[in-house]
């Protein structure tokens, strides 16, 4: 059965609350700030929205349920999405269908996390049952260790070099220099990248995102609603979502996008060549390469050659992670899975905070989340179009 | 050995992450006995890892821990240089790898220093300092592995460590001392130690308790006799004083220093060995009174294990059947000789297990006990006296 098109579903009012390395505020504050700002942009009050989707790792005992009372919301579509880097795409998908079916008029999608000096360690030590049982006791390296293994295997299998990964990190840093909210403010050179402190070989400092506090939000509604509110919007063309794909692969070298990408492009009526801006989930550069391949921009194992052949900067011919991505802006927990979405909305509506890609028509955003044991389990992607 | 500065603070004994799900404790239970087992689905034979509650292939909930082929191949390796955990921060850099097991699952494992991507390995499950099982990938074949820094952290190798053997004058204590020295340990002079005398044990601990890195309690007091036939409790008092209260005295005097020195350099305190009659698990009527005291002492040993865990100290229970001594002359062979017991104690330390049976009789009783204690009780009580 063919999936129903999204018709006139749009995304609007993107918000990035400026990140902070550490924060004395709870996650509730960060999520509340992002929600307030997205509503302010659209000229709405809390009671005007009837849908709320939330993602966070640091809400303690709370979920989206508690936040309704905290924030004075009265939604009829309520979602708590514990999918980390895939949470933004999943929130968008569910919100879009709810609005399309008439179960809700306006859904606010928000993700945010706080960060205190010891909170990352505490999250790692109890991230999931499989990681507590079978990952954390092995050096307690967290995702750095897990991605080091995937990176090593990828390098060994496909001949990628650290210089190849550097191209991704350096071009994103250049994008970040004009993005006002990026935590990394200094240019990154190849020499600095290569000489960086080793973390878990072959992963070194500039391959890792910096955990921080921050939040992101956007609204999902009908085009007519957006027009009546007078807010700039982008239309949702297609989405995909997949979990625990290729479970029999002994080590992760591909993920769910490869399983569903044909549908992603067919539903949007385009091909990889038609994409003007790509926002990948960049917790580590090896995962960016995996997305270039699995989303069809090049063949499996060809991403090292691809990054050598393309200018990945916002000013280049293959604009990628135009805000600087998590590698340069910072990783604000679950908000990391929203950063590409809010940035794509801004770029497509001509509202970039940093370098504006000239006249983009289509953007592809992808999400990746949750190293439950040895690999990321959740993948998602969406194609957005300028109106 | 270089003398430590008495004014320098002790390194606090840090432990690796010890939290586990209930299902994962099956790996620990097997490792404590020196076995490598994974969950296998009784319905579809799929091997599971990480430990599960239902089968990943067919959702059947009847998963059993079973010995599986331990061969595998390293897919990728890394050296963790920056860790979130205080224990691993003191141990960094630490080598970890992803191993594809021949029996199916991919396993994140501690990696022996010689092992890298593409190499064949033999997977084992070992107890770490926290007392929980971890996977360790070792080279295939039987080369000497004892020099590996990470393996040494997972074992209690006597080499280079100072060992106290409590009853050094008995044939068994003497053999164990000799075996320890042969294994590269420095055997402390415990002559004169009397575990039935509280003051004596306290003085001994004051004199050299701060140097003990491995304590082997060789106080073997196993005398024949059941309940009715003994006629009085005089001998039982002696058994309790020696075996049960003797262990408590040793633990109260030597335990605190041992626990506090679990992270000392260059050699951390690491192990406490108790030797029990296997009939402490379930009585042999012919040695019924001694069996009861060994049962009590075994219970104490398990509490001691819990109390010493904070220092990363392994408590090893060594089970013996009839000993080759005057008190077991009426028992049929096979019996446990001093050298046999000594070799088993050294091996248990090197393997870092918690539970080991020495000799055919003890191994047989332990196997029957694990199979069904009630059946074993009938088997033992039905035996001609």
């Amino acid at each position: 059965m063919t999936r129903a098109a999204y018709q006139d579903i749009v995304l609007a009012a993107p918000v990035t609350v400026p990140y902070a390395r550490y924060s004395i505020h709870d996650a509730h504050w960060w999520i509340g700030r992002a929600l307030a700002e997205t509503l302010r942009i659209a000229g709405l009050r809390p009671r005007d929205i009837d849908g709320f989707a939330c993602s966070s790792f640091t809400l303690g005992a709370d979920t989206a349920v508690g936040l309704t009372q905290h924030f004075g919301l009265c939604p009829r579509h309520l979602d708590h999405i514990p999918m980390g880097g895939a949470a933004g795409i999943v929130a968008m998908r569910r919100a879009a269908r709810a609005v399309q079916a008439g179960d809700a008029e306006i859904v606010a999608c928000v993700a945010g996390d706080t960060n205190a000096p010891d909170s990352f360690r505490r999250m790692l030590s109890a991230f999931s049952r499989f990681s507590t049982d079978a990952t954390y006791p092995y050096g307690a390296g967290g995702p750095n260790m897990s991605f080091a293994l995937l990176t090593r295997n990828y390098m060994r299998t496909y001949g990628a070099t650290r210089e190849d990964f550097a191209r991704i990190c350096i071009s994103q840093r250049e994008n970040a220099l004009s993005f006002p909210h990026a935590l990394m403010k200094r240019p990154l050179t190849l020499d600095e990248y290569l000489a960086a402190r080793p973390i878990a070989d072959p992963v070194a400092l500039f391959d890792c995102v910096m955990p921080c506090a921050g939040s992101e939000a956007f609204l999902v509604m009908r085009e007519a609603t957006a027009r009546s509110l007078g807010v700039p919007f982008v239309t949702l063309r297609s989405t995909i979502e997949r979990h625990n794909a290729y479970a029999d692969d002994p080590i992760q070298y591909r993920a769910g996008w490869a399983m569903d990408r044909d549908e992603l492009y067919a539903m949007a009526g385009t091909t990889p060549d038609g994409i003007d801006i790509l926002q990948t989930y960049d917790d580590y550069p090896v995962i960016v390469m995996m997305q270039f391949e699995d989303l069809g921009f090049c063949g499996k194992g060809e991403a090292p050659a691809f990054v050598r052949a393309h200018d990945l900067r916002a000013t280049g011919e293959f604009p990628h992670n135009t805000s600087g991505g998590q590698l340069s802006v910072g990783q604000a927990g679950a908000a990391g899975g929203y950063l590409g979405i809010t940035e794509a909305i801004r770029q497509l509506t001509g509202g970039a905070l940093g370098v504006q890609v000239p006249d983009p028509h289509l953007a592809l955003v992808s999400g990746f989340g949750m190293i439950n044991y040895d690999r990321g389990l959740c993948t998602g992607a969406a194609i957005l179009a300028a109106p | 050995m270089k003398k430590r500065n008495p004014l320098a603070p002790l390194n606090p004994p840090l432990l690796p992450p010890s939290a586990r799900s209930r299902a994962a404790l099956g790996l620990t239970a097997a490792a404590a006995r020196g076995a490598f087992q994974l969950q296998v689905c009784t319905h579809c034979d799929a091997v599971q890892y990480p430990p599960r509650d239902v089968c990943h292939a067919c959702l059947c909930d009847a998963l059993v821990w079973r010995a599986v082929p331990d061969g595998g191949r390293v897919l990728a390796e890394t050296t963790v240089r920056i860790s979130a955990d205080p224990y691993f921060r003191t141990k960094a850099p630490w080598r970890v790898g992803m191993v594809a097991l021949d029996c199916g699952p991919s396993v994140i494992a501690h990696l022996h220093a010689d092992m890298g991507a593409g190499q064949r390995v033999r997977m084992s499950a070992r107890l770490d300092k926290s007392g929980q099982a971890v996977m360790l990938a070792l080279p295939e074949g039987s080369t000497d592995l004892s020099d590996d820094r990470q393996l040494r952290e997972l074992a209690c190798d006597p080499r280079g460590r100072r060992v106290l053997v409590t009853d050094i004058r008995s044939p068994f204590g003497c053999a164990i001392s000799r075996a320890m020295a042969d294994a590269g340990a420095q055997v402390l002079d415990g002559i004169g130690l009397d575990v039935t005398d509280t003051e004596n044990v306290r003085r001994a601990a004051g004199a050299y308790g701060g140097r003990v890195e491995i304590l082997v309690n060789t106080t073997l007091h196993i005398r024949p006799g059941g309940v009715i036939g003994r006629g009085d409790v005089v001998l039982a008092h002696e058994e309790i004083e020696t075996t049960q209260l003797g262990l408590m005295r040793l633990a109260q005097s030597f335990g605190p220093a041992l626990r506090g020195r679990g992270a000392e350099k260059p050699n951390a305190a690491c192990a406490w060995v108790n030797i029990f009659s296997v009939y402490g698990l379930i009585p042999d009527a012919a040695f019924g009174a001694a069996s009861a005291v060994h049962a009590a002492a075994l219970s104490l040993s398990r509490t001691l294990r819990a109390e010493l865990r904070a220092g990363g100290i392994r408590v090893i229970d060594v089970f013996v059947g009839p000993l080759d001594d005057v008190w077991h002359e009426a028992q049929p062979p096979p019996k446990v000789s001093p050298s046999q017991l000594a070799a088993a104690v050294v091996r248990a330390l090197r393997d870092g297990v918690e539970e080991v049976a020495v000799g055919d009789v003890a191994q047989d009783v332990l196997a029957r006990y694990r199979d069904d204690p009630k059946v074993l009780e009938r088997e033992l009580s039905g035996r001609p006296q």
Side-chain angles (χ1 to χ4, degrees):
Chain A
M1 186 180 152
T2 315
R3 283 170 58 199
Y6 284 110
Q7 295 164 344
D8 64 342
I9 301 300
V10 304
L11 316 181
V15 171
T16 299
V17 177
Y19 294 1
R21 175 73 171 107
Y22 295 116
S23 171
I24 60 170
H25 296 299
D26 280 358
H28 306 66
W29 183 90
W30 286 94
I31 294 167
R33 290 305 310 144
L35 177 63
E37 183 62 11
T38 192
L39 296 183
R40 188 195 63 75
I41 292 170
L44 297 167
R45 295 162 303 167
R47 291 277 165 169
D48 295 333
I49 60 168
D50 56 358
F52 179 59
C54 174
S55 292
S56 178
F57 291 106
T58 50
L59 276 174
D62 275 348
T63 66
V65 176
L67 294 182
T68 61
Q69 195 167 34
H70 198 133
F71 298 155
L73 303 176
C74 184
R76 52 181 177 152
H77 168 89
L78 183 65
D79 219 345
H80 189 90
I81 304 176
M83 299 185 197
I89 301 289
V90 173
M92 176 204 302
R93 273 168 63 86
R94 295 182 185 177
R97 290 306 187 193
V99 171
Q100 186 177 7
D103 291 347
E105 287 288 324
I106 302 174
V107 181
C109 299
V110 191
D113 271 293
T114 191
N115 190 46
D118 194 39
S119 53
F120 194 65
R121 185 192 65 84
R122 278 185 277 120
M123 186 184 79
L124 287 184
S125 62
F127 188 76
S128 68
R129 184 173 124 174
F130 278 11
S131 74
T132 297
D133 283 348
T135 309
Y136 194 66
Y138 300 86
N144 294 329
M145 188 273 280
S146 302
F147 284 96
L149 293 170
L150 304 189
T151 303
R152 180 72 91 196
N153 179 65
Y154 185 89
M155 292 171 80
R156 193 165 160 262
T157 309
Y158 299 118
T161 65
R162 290 200 65 221
E163 285 79 358
D164 297 330
F165 296 124
R167 286 174 181 274
I168 292 166
C169 301
I170 291 168
S171 63
Q172 288 193 200
R173 180 61 58 87
E174 189 164 325
N175 294 345
L177 295 179
S178 66
F179 187 77
H181 304 328
L183 290 181
M184 309 293 178
K185 306 270 189 209
R186 288 181 37 232
L188 177 65
T189 67
L190 179 60
D191 286 344
E192 284 170 329
Y193 173 91
L194 294 174
R197 185 162 66 123
I199 305 293
D201 308 352
V203 165
L205 187 63
F206 296 116
D207 296 304
C208 306
V209 294
M210 181 189 277
C212 63
S215 55
E216 304 269 340
F218 59 89
L219 300 177
V220 178
M221 62 188 79
R222 290 177 184 281
E223 185 176 331
T225 314
R227 288 194 187 280
S228 72
L229 291 170
V231 287
F233 60 85
V234 301
T235 60
L236 178 59
R237 286 283 189 83
S238 67
T239 65
I240 52 170
E241 173 182 344
R242 185 67 66 174
H243 306 279
N244 197 28
Y246 306 115
D248 291 335
D249 288 349
I251 187 167
Q252 187 164 46
Y253 67 95
R254 57 179 173 171
W257 308 289
M259 207 171 260
D260 301 303
R261 69 170 177 233
D262 291 347
E263 185 179 292
L264 177 72
Y265 292 114
M267 197 171 167
T270 188
T271 65
D273 287 340
I275 301 299
D276 301 312
I277 299 176
L278 176 61
Q279 312 284 358
T280 63
Y281 190 82
D282 60 328
D283 48 356
Y284 294 83
V286 71
I287 300 302
V288 171
M289 287 201 186
M290 211 179 281
Q291 285 161 89
F292 287 166
E293 294 165 355
D294 293 353
L295 288 166
F297 293 94
C298 59
K300 184 48 68 184
E302 293 172 6
F306 185 85
V307 301
R308 283 173 224 144
H310 291 83
D311 182 347
L312 305 175
R313 293 173 296 179
T315 53
E317 93 280 10
F318 191 82
H320 170 250
N321 287 358
T322 46
S323 66
Q326 299 179 80
L327 284 167
S328 283
V329 180
Q331 181 175 60
Y338 272 61
L339 181 61
I341 300 173
T342 54
E343 174 65 9
I345 301 171
R346 285 189 293 255
Q347 288 285 351
L348 292 173
T349 53
L353 301 175
V355 173
Q356 173 69 53
V357 175
D359 198 26
H361 180 56
L362 286 181
L364 193 161
V365 189
S366 73
F368 179 66
M370 309 305 283
I371 305 279
N372 185 59
Y373 162 51
D374 62 335
R375 64 191 71 195
L377 294 189
C378 312
T379 55
I383 293 177
L384 311 178
Chain B
M1 198 173 290
K2 190 165 161 273
K3 283 226 181 329
R4 81 180 293 279
N5 175 1
L7 297 178
L10 288 176
N11 295 301
L14 298 168
L15 301 181
S18 65
R20 298 289 191 281
S21 68
R22 185 168 196 277
L25 294 181
L27 189 73
T28 291
R33 297 162 180 160
F36 177 67
Q37 297 181 342
L38 294 180
Q39 285 174 307
V40 179
C41 176
T42 52
H43 181 69
C44 76
D45 291 331
V47 179
Q48 323 279 324
Y49 190 83
R52 285 173 165 85
D53 293 295
V54 295
C55 173
H56 72 269
C58 75
L59 295 181
C60 170
D61 69 343
L63 305 177
V64 290
W65 289 89
R66 198 179 277 169
V68 294
D70 62 0
R73 192 170 57 85
V74 180
L75 296 172
E77 84 287 345
T78 183
T79 303
V80 177
R81 299 177 188 278
I82 308 293
S83 173
D85 180 78
Y87 170 84
F88 284 110
R89 285 188 91 86
T90 67
K91 304 292 174 194
W94 193 266
R95 281 170 52 78
V96 177
M98 173 99 76
V99 175
L101 291 181
D102 298 341
C103 62
S106 290
V107 168
I108 293 173
H110 298 313
L111 213 54
H112 185 274
D114 298 342
M115 296 291 90
Q119 282 179 292
R120 294 284 309 169
V121 292
R122 167 169 64 89
M123 190 63 73
S124 64
R126 299 291 182 113
L127 300 178
D128 69 11
K129 285 272 180 199
S130 79
Q132 298 287 29
V134 287
M135 296 286 200
L136 172 68
L138 297 168
E140 278 192 328
S142 54
T143 45
D144 179 24
L145 310 171
S146 58
D147 275 333
D148 184 61
R149 186 175 66 90
Q150 292 183 204
L151 176 58
R152 196 164 164 82
E153 192 64 18
L154 297 174
C156 309
D157 196 323
R159 185 162 52 90
R161 290 194 160 110
R162 294 173 289 190
V163 179
L164 176 66
V165 178
T166 60
D167 192 6
I168 204 160
R169 280 174 303 186
S170 75
F172 289 94
C174 184
I176 290 171
S177 297
R178 230 178 6 248
M180 289 292 171
D182 289 348
Q186 181 194 340
V187 180
L188 297 169
D189 182 3
I191 290 175
L193 181 65
D194 177 1
V195 300
T196 65
D197 178 346
T198 304
E199 264 314 301
N200 171 294
V201 175
R202 279 193 188 146
R203 272 200 309 277
Y208 50 78
R211 296 203 295 274
V212 177
E213 281 139 10
I214 296 174
L215 188 149
V216 187
N217 178 15
T218 53
T219 313
L220 276 165
H221 190 285
I222 306 172
R223 305 286 183 267
V227 176
I228 297 174
R230 279 251 180 114
D232 60 39
V233 296
V234 175
L235 185 53
H237 267 298
E238 186 185 311
E239 285 165 333
I240 289 167
E241 280 295 334
T242 312
T243 302
Q244 185 182 343
L245 300 182
L247 172 56
M248 272 187 95
R249 289 187 189 96
L250 283 171
Q252 286 165 359
S253 294
F254 286 90
L258 210 65
R259 181 168 61 185
R261 297 181 55 255
E264 271 312 281
K265 288 167 184 166
N267 283 311
C270 67
W272 181 301
V273 182
N274 289 314
I275 302 166
F276 297 117
S277 164
V278 74
Y279 298 111
L281 291 170
I282 194 150
D284 171 11
F287 285 77
S291 296
V293 177
H294 277 253
L298 176 58
S299 179
L300 288 180
S301 179
R302 287 170 177 166
T303 296
L304 184 61
R305 176 175 296 138
E307 292 178 347
L308 289 180
R309 182 161 299 152
I313 309 297
R314 178 103 4 114
V315 173
I316 303 174
D317 297 323
V318 176
F319 295 113
V320 294
L323 299 174
D324 197 2
D325 68 8
V326 293
W327 309 104
H328 292 84
E329 276 176 351
Q331 302 293 108
K335 299 184 201 183
V336 173
S337 71
S339 63
Q340 190 183 6
L341 177 58
V345 168
V346 171
R347 197 163 51 243
L349 287 165
R350 282 182 179 150
D351 292 345
V353 296
E354 278 183 2
E355 207 172 279
V356 66
V358 186
D360 295 338
V361 172
Q363 283 168 15
D364 180 69
V365 170
L366 190 58
R368 289 171 193 270
Y369 178 78
R370 284 176 187 158
D371 185 55
D372 191 331
K374 194 68 189 172
V375 170
L376 176 60
E377 183 195 322
R378 283 293 185 282
E379 287 180 302
L380 288 174
S381 64
R383 224 164 50 178
Q385 298 295 314

